[in-house]
Amino acid sequence: MSATALKAAGLYLLLGCIWAGTNSMLWLSLAAHFPQVNPALLPYIMHAAFVTVSTVLVFVLVRNNSRRNNYRLLFYEHPLPMWIYEWGTLKFLAVNNAAVKKYGYSRKEFMGMTILDIRHPSTVNDVLEDVRKTSQQFIYRGVWQHQKKNKEIFPVELYSHSTHYRGHEARLVMAVDIDAEIRSTVMAKDIGTRYELLAQVTQDYIYYWDMVSDHVTRNHGPSSLFGYMEEDITSHGNWWYEKIHPEDAGTIEHRFQASLRNRTVQWNAEYRFRCANGQYKFVHDRGHIIYNEEGQPVRMIGAVQDITEKQQYVEQLQQQNTVLQDIAHINSHEIRKPVASILGIMSMFDLDKNEPAFNSRLLGLLQQSTAELDGLLHQIQHKLRSLNK
């Protein structure tokens, strides 16, 4: 049986005993003071008053105890470490389950300790000085080094305010472990520092795109590579997309959206990008896309490289290859025809029989084949000259 039920039953029993011992005297007193009231009605009125008063008192008792039990449950079952300590002695008066689990001490051990016993030894004097300067009515917040039973040190953020607990001037404290938060902050700062260094030393355009807010952080790339003034550069993702060559924009947009639908992590594309002077440069865009737990893209970090010279060199090699293929075709197919004709004509000359008409005709064919061969040689020479250029 709960304590609240026992208290309610005890209160009702006490009221019943009082009523049983006093109702006759009360009836006589009321009958003497109110002679105009029918004496037969007075017992009913008295009983009704007793039931009403008893009900109200039991209700108030149960409600107050229920509130105290709720507060007690909230304190002991709260997921964050909490405790109550006496203001003057700094002794623990109560600790919740989370504090017992976090610090490694049993509740009985806590009751024999002060708040100094869970502090890093190097901070004890600072704690005492802080307590001396802090008013009892002051709502406190601060970051301290705490120590577990196994001597492990970890940072906490404390929140406290004054309270009364079982007749003691006390303070209620809640401790938030911020070790993971500090580690992540240090890591983020380190990553940010490395990003800043990379963004400064590289010649490429480095960007960080928060896809949720559509905010893009860029390095010097748009200015140093493409000639844009700082005031012409906006932080929206569309600023970059609008400057992709119209013939490339549709393909790039389709490929990028397909990558997002497929949750592709690595993005890679080559396209033409408009510079501030209106000319276009070939760029190689490489990015890493980060998705949340629901699979939605949230961030993207990437680098854009100017590959115009590389692209021109590739085109030049392709042109040279085409010329060399033409020369090879002329050499292997077209030159063979006049050379074969010349050799055949030369084998038909008959100087012994001295046939002028026949030899004259052969000389004409020889001249024609020689002219054809000369034309092919000039064609090769022209292609080689264009190749050198």
Side-chain angles (χ1 to χ4, degrees), residues 10 27 36 56 86 89 131 181 190 200 245 280 331 333-334 342 369:
W27 178 77
Q36 68 276 17
V56 171
E86 190 175 20
T89 65
V131 170
E181 181 180 349
D190 180 56
Q200 291 175 12
H245 195 286
Y280 284 89
N331 182 60
H333 293 84
E334 298 184 27
I342 291 173
S369 298

Side-chain angles (χ1 to χ4, degrees), residues 226-237:
F226 308 109
Y228 287 97
M229 304 295 292
E230 290 296 332
E231 56 268 23
D232 298 329
I233 304 171
T234 67
S235 61
H236 300 293

Side-chain angles (χ1 to χ4, degrees), residues 69-88:
N69 287 336
N70 288 337
Y71 292 143
R72 179 184 178 88
L73 182 64
L74 178 63
F75 173 78
Y76 282 103
E77 300 301 328
H78 197 281
L80 295 176
M82 299 178 67
W83 56 81
I84 301 173
Y85 72 91
E86 190 175 20
W87 176 248

Side-chain angles (χ1 to χ4, degrees), residues 119 130 134 138-144 158-161 171:
R119 302 299 184 110
D130 189 69
T134 303
F138 182 67
I139 298 177
Y140 178 80
R141 176 184 178 186
V143 176
W144 293 89
L158 299 181
Y159 299 84
S160 72
H161 62 83
R171 289 189 73 86

Side-chain angles (χ1 to χ4, degrees), residues 258-329:
S259 297
L260 297 182
R261 287 194 300 269
N262 297 328
R263 299 184 183 178
T264 303
V265 175
Q266 301 298 332
W267 159 255
N268 195 318
E270 292 185 1
Y271 50 86
R272 288 165 289 178
F273 183 79
R274 188 174 75 248
C275 302
N277 60 8
Q279 298 180 351
Y280 284 89
K281 285 187 175 183
F282 286 93
V283 297
H284 185 194
D285 190 345
R286 292 167 294 176
H288 180 83
I289 306 172
I290 301 173
Y291 300 84
N292 60 17
E293 295 179 355
E294 290 74 31
Q296 301 296 322
V298 292
R299 291 185 296 277
M300 180 176 180
I301 184 169
V304 177
Q305 183 181 16
D306 180 6
I307 59 169
T308 303
E309 293 185 2
K310 174 185 175 182
Q311 189 69 21
Q312 292 173 346
Y313 181 69
V314 170
E315 291 178 356
Q316 182 181 357
L317 290 178
Q318 291 175 343
Q319 293 175 356
Q320 291 176 350
N321 185 55
T322 301
V323 172
L324 292 175
Q325 287 179 346
D326 292 342
I327 292 174
H329 178 79

Side-chain angles (χ1 to χ4, degrees), residues 172-193:
L172 174 65
V173 181
M174 180 177 67
V176 181
D177 184 354
I178 58 174
D179 183 58
E181 181 180 349
I182 291 177
R183 290 179 184 272
S184 62
T185 301
V186 172
M187 182 179 297
K189 183 178 180 180
D190 180 56
I191 292 175
T193 301

